[in-house]
Amino acid sequence: DSIPESNEDNNDLEFEYEVLESYMPNLSFVAGPPMFLEPQVPAVGDPADIVVLFENAGHENTVATSFQVAFYSILQPDGTPELLEQIEVRSLYGGETAQMNITWHPDVAGDYLLRVVLDEGNEVDESLEDDNVAEMEVMVREHTPELTLYEAPGLEILPRDDWLEDVFQHHQVELAVYVLNMDPVESATEVRVRFWDQPEGGSQVLIGDALLPLVQNATRSEGEVVPAPSVQALVVWNDTALAGNHTIFVEIDPLDAIEEWYEDDNNFNFSLTVREPLPDLNVTSLVVPGQAVYGIPSAVEVSVFNTGAAATGQTEVELWIDDTRVYTWGLSLEEGQQVLLIYDYTWAEDWPRVKARADAS
Ligand SMILES: [Ca+2]
Ligand SMILES: [Ca+2]
Ligand SMILES: [Ca+2]
Ligand SMILES: [Ca+2]
């Protein structure tokens, strides 16, 4: 000590350095979020998968053997840790990653802390013992009805005129969709379904609301949610809609009178075309009742049906036998009108070909 110093106490620095007997394993969680919950916000009683990713971050020559991984749930703010499951891992070598998942069935709604402990009971000597716990805050919600559309049938078009199969101008139709409740616990009552029409290039026009008294909750079967039969929502439409392309908007619970967890799967739209009304003549049957006998008259019966959306006006139906037109009926049919035409013919052919042609001209 030849130099006088103002502070003689800070000249030495020493620390203990531990040389390990050998490389040690270190169980720890992977970087990035090491825990997941699926679904992210389960409802009470729903199965929820807790997934955790961990590793042996020690040297590749190390192995952690026969250690326990424990899963806990802790109801906030001051619940006690409840062991959900404890799983043994036989071995995990340095550099190896492992994934583990368990299914949790929370039975109380609220905020929870989920905790995973690696090497519970400390059976493995590790180079780091204080990085063995991961935690995650989650929420468990109460059940609410979960309304949505049964998409497979789409928008059903039910013409009021039973001979029509499509939407024609000046012809009323019923529009129908089918509503489901995917929640396995809560039924929904007084479910409003609103329909709008938007003609191409025009603005939205309210068609009307359907009110469904009850949309029954789903059930659970072998872990799957099985919806109850869907409920039809029906409105009458098309007194004034113009021919052309239309978009039909359907809103389930448009006033949000029913609280749901997924509010963003309630709106749907469909395209349809309102067609110009035209007649559509169909020869629906051509019958010779009884036996046709050579030289003897018998009736030839022709059914004609206007399956279109307008009257035919004056038109003709021809009866042909082989290559000869033997008779012509003049008639006019209202839309949806069907007539039976009868002609007595005396057979002068062995194998006649009988044909009826509507609106041949
Ligand atoms: Ca560790
Ligand atoms: Ca340990
Ligand atoms: Ca919904
Ligand atoms: Ca709602």
Side-chain angles (χ1 to χ4, degrees):
D1 191 16
S2 55
I3 306 166
E5 296 174 57
S6 57
N7 183 349
E8 294 285 2
D9 294 337
N10 62 357
N11 290 18
D12 295 331
L13 180 64
E14 70 172 48
F15 66 94
E16 272 184 73
Y17 190 83
E18 185 189 11
V19 174
L20 304 174
E21 296 274 307
S22 59
Y23 287 119
M24 293 179 81
N26 182 32
L27 297 169
S28 63
F29 295 93
V30 301
M35 285 177 73
F36 304 91
L37 185 67
E38 176 59 38
Q40 289 185 333
V41 185
V44 172
D46 280 355
D49 286 331
I50 305 171
V51 180
V52 64
L53 299 164
F54 58 92
E55 62 188 349
N56 177 354
H59 187 274
E60 61 184 309
N61 290 340
T62 66
V63 59
T65 52
S66 297
F67 61 92
Q68 305 286 323
V69 178
F71 292 77
Y72 294 92
S73 70
I74 307 158
L75 184 60
Q76 302 299 294
D78 43 27
T80 52
E82 181 187 343
L83 180 65
L84 301 174
E85 213 162 318
Q86 185 165 312
I87 298 173
E88 182 176 280
V89 178
R90 291 295 180 81
S91 63
L92 191 64
Y93 285 87
E96 280 187 341
T97 300
Q99 174 181 327
M100 192 173 276
N101 44 305
I102 68 162
T103 303
W104 176 40
H105 292 87
D107 51 11
V108 176
D111 294 323
Y112 284 84
L113 200 61
L114 294 178
R115 177 180 293 163
V116 176
V117 180
L118 302 176
D119 192 26
E120 176 83 313
N122 197 19
E123 292 295 323
V124 179
D125 277 340
E126 300 167 64
S127 54
L128 272 176
E129 292 287 1
D130 60 2
D131 62 352
N132 288 18
V133 177
E135 290 179 337
M136 180 187 189
E137 289 174 1
V138 300
M139 176 188 153
V140 174
R141 63 186 175 89
E142 298 284 1
H143 280 275
T144 59
E146 186 37 64
L147 300 166
T148 192
L149 196 77
Y150 179 31
E151 292 196 62
L155 178 73
E156 258 186 4
I157 297 167
L158 306 162
R160 288 228 150 160
D161 304 304
D162 57 15
W163 63 90
L164 297 179
E165 288 174 351
D166 215 335
V167 190
F168 292 90
Q169 195 172 3
H170 312 309
H171 290 70
Q172 280 192 334
V173 297
E174 288 167 331
L175 299 176
V177 295
Y178 293 83
V179 177
L180 289 173
N181 179 357
M182 298 304 292
D183 189 80
V185 173
E186 289 294 322
S187 287
T189 55
E190 302 294 302
V191 177
R192 186 176 298 273
V193 182
R194 182 161 286 175
F195 292 72
W196 300 84
D197 168 36
Q198 184 165 23
E200 195 170 52
S203 49
Q204 281 198 350
V205 181
L206 180 67
I207 296 173
D209 289 357
L211 205 57
L212 313 180
L214 175 67
V215 184
Q216 190 76 44
N217 58 279
T219 52
R220 277 205 196 89
S221 174
E222 293 170 3
E224 298 287 306
V225 173
V226 181
S230 59
V231 180
Q232 187 189 55
L234 190 106
V235 289
V236 178
W237 180 54
N238 195 25
D239 290 320
T240 57
L242 297 176
N245 295 326
H246 290 250
T247 306
I248 304 296
F249 293 87
V250 176
E251 302 170 352
I252 299 170
D253 191 27
L255 308 176
D256 200 16
I258 297 165
E259 189 186 336
E260 299 161 68
W261 187 249
Y262 300 109
E263 295 285 4
D264 54 2
D265 62 353
N266 290 15
N267 295 343
F268 298 83
N269 62 76
F270 303 91
S271 299
L272 59 73
T273 303
V274 176
R275 300 172 61 181
E276 299 277 0
L278 291 173
D280 181 13
L281 274 180
N282 276 273
V283 175
T284 53
S285 76
L286 177 58
V287 181
V288 179
Q291 286 185 316
V293 179
Y294 197 92
I296 296 175
S298 61
V300 179
E301 298 180 0
V302 179
S303 291
V304 183
F305 192 178
N306 178 5
T307 56
T312 60
Q314 195 59 36
T315 187
E316 293 181 345
V317 176
E318 297 173 352
L319 178 65
W320 289 71
I321 291 175
D322 288 336
D323 295 324
T324 309
R325 186 175 64 197
V326 300
Y327 195 73
T328 302
W329 289 278
L331 49 81
S332 93
L333 290 182
E334 296 301 315
E335 57 177 298
Q337 190 184 354
Q338 185 164 16
V339 291
L340 182 65
L341 307 172
I342 300 173
Y343 181 70
D344 283 319
Y345 183 70
T346 303
W347 300 100
E349 298 81 9
D350 290 328
W351 297 97
R353 228 162 11 90
V354 181
K355 188 171 69 174
R357 296 172 65 187
D359 193 31
S361 51

